[in-house]
Amino acid sequence: MTATIIDGKAHAAALRARVGTGVEAFVAATGRKPGLAVVLVGEDAASAVYVRNKGKATVAAGMASIEHRLSADVDQDTLLALVDRLNADPAIDGILVQLPLPTQIDERAVITRIDPDKDVDGFHPVNAGRLAIGIDGFVPCTPLGCVMLLKAVCGSLSGAEAVVIGRSNIVGKPMAQLLLRESCTVTTVHSRTRDVAVHVRAADIVVAAVGIPGFVRADWIKPGATVIDVGINRTVAGLVGDVDYAGAVEVSGAITPVPGGVGPMTIACLIRNTYVSACRREGVAIDPAI
Ligand code: NAP
């Protein structure tokens, strides 16, 4: 068996196009563009690339991108004061503070300061709580992108056995919540799990968010299972995921490649969340296709 390769780039392009159409209707209704403010602290090269790509995608979808760059030695009060200004600015619908932050800054204090209704990254505890109890809020972009890919490939996920490998606040935990919302039977495994392979072997859906190259072995995967590889690992061989891709492609039913799988969906979902925020704030109907 050779798996269907899930083309994250194509799915992301289609989502960005749908958001672009929604944004046109939003602008026609309100006379303004949705606005996303991105705050970058310091000179970290990878973060700078992420911020640049987010800005480009925002503008391409017809929205306003407002970038704030602060020096690496900025103090916490200055950063919190900027967040307060962005919270109060009616032209700003989404606020994203690029992580990681320098050590003198308490990340949790910054995330918690963002207005939950502008928290398009979905990291605020209020949005984590909303997801847990089933109230509309903002869902972190990477797991949201994963569940969109799964639904596009599998249709209904109801009743599927799903395993999430990893329990971080930005990927693993919200991923498990989203799969539960889709009525999967969800198992979360982590570094203290006694036998990860046993759980993966029973799964119809495997989401790997570990950060270890090739961690998920092909002989763990149930034939025909759908495999979503969130991992982004820089190795001498280039960018690789958390799954032994060459082996897994022979046994799974469908699989995301790295790169070109989950990654492009993350930015598309950020654009989507910003559009949704703008609509909610202005009382404009959200396009159900988005
Ligand atoms: P993280 O915060 O480091 O979490 C990794 C998780 O993996 C932890 O819960 C950890 O368990 C678990 N783990 C570590 N070793 C394990 C083992 N031997 N067996 C089972 N579980 C193990 O990482 P993250 O932020 O969730 O990111 C995970 C990966 O996704 C990384 O490669 C990251 O670069 C990538 N990522 C990609 C995107 C994207 O857009 N595609 C976005 C975000 C992250 P414990 O909790 O017990 O320590």
Side-chain angles (χ1 to χ4, degrees), residues 47-288:
S47 293
V49 170
Y50 288 140
V51 165
R52 194 162 58 240
N53 289 341
K54 287 169 184 174
K56 272 192 206 159
T58 307
V59 171
M63 306 197 262
S65 166
I66 301 95
E67 237 177 81
H68 291 269
R69 287 173 178 261
L70 302 177
S71 66
D73 60 357
V74 70
D75 61 78
Q76 182 159 318
D77 286 347
T78 305
L79 178 53
L80 291 177
L82 171 59
V83 171
D84 288 344
R85 285 203 302 282
L86 296 171
N87 282 341
D89 185 341
I92 299 297
D93 300 291
I95 302 170
L96 182 156
V97 179
Q98 184 66 44
L99 303 178
L101 291 169
T103 48
Q104 77 274 14
I105 292 173
D106 174 1
E107 270 183 14
R108 188 161 292 180
V110 175
I111 289 168
T112 309
R113 192 69 158 245
I114 296 171
D115 177 347
D117 293 332
K118 294 189 177 186
D119 168 41
V120 287
D121 251 344
F123 295 162
H124 193 289
V126 164
N127 282 318
R130 286 168 168 164
L131 175 60
I133 64 172
I135 298 175
D136 276 346
F138 291 110
V139 174
C141 300
T142 299
L144 180 60
C146 292
V147 89
M148 285 181 178
L149 290 178
L150 281 168
K151 285 167 81 171
V153 171
C154 306
S156 169
L157 309 182
S158 181
E161 297 283 336
V163 162
V164 179
I165 312 173
R167 56 173 165 177
S168 70
N169 289 332
I170 63 168
V171 188
K173 280 184 201 153
M175 188 72 230
Q177 292 285 358
L178 282 168
L179 290 168
L180 200 53
R181 194 170 82 178
E182 296 300 326
S183 299
C184 294
T185 302
V186 185
T187 303
T188 300
V189 300
H190 46 77
S191 69
R192 308 295 174 91
T193 299
R194 284 200 204 109
D195 190 343
V196 172
V198 161
H199 297 283
V200 175
R201 284 195 175 108
D204 307 307
I205 293 170
V206 180
V207 181
V210 194
I212 301 176
F215 176 78
V216 177
R217 289 173 27 186
D219 65 351
W220 296 1
I221 295 168
K222 179 161 119 179
T226 304
V227 178
I228 303 290
D229 191 348
V230 182
I232 299 180
N233 306 293
R234 278 164 227 286
T235 70
V236 283
L239 220 55
V240 301
D242 289 342
V243 177
D244 164 21
Y245 183 80
V249 84
E250 298 298 332
V251 50
S252 57
I255 186 167
T256 56
V258 177
V262 173
M265 285 301 283
T266 297
I267 289 187
C269 286
L270 173 68
I271 302 308
R272 180 247 174 222
N273 281 356
T274 305
Y275 159 77
V276 166
S277 177
C279 290
R280 285 183 187 150
R281 297 182 64 250
E282 296 285 358
V284 170
I286 298 165
D287 183 339

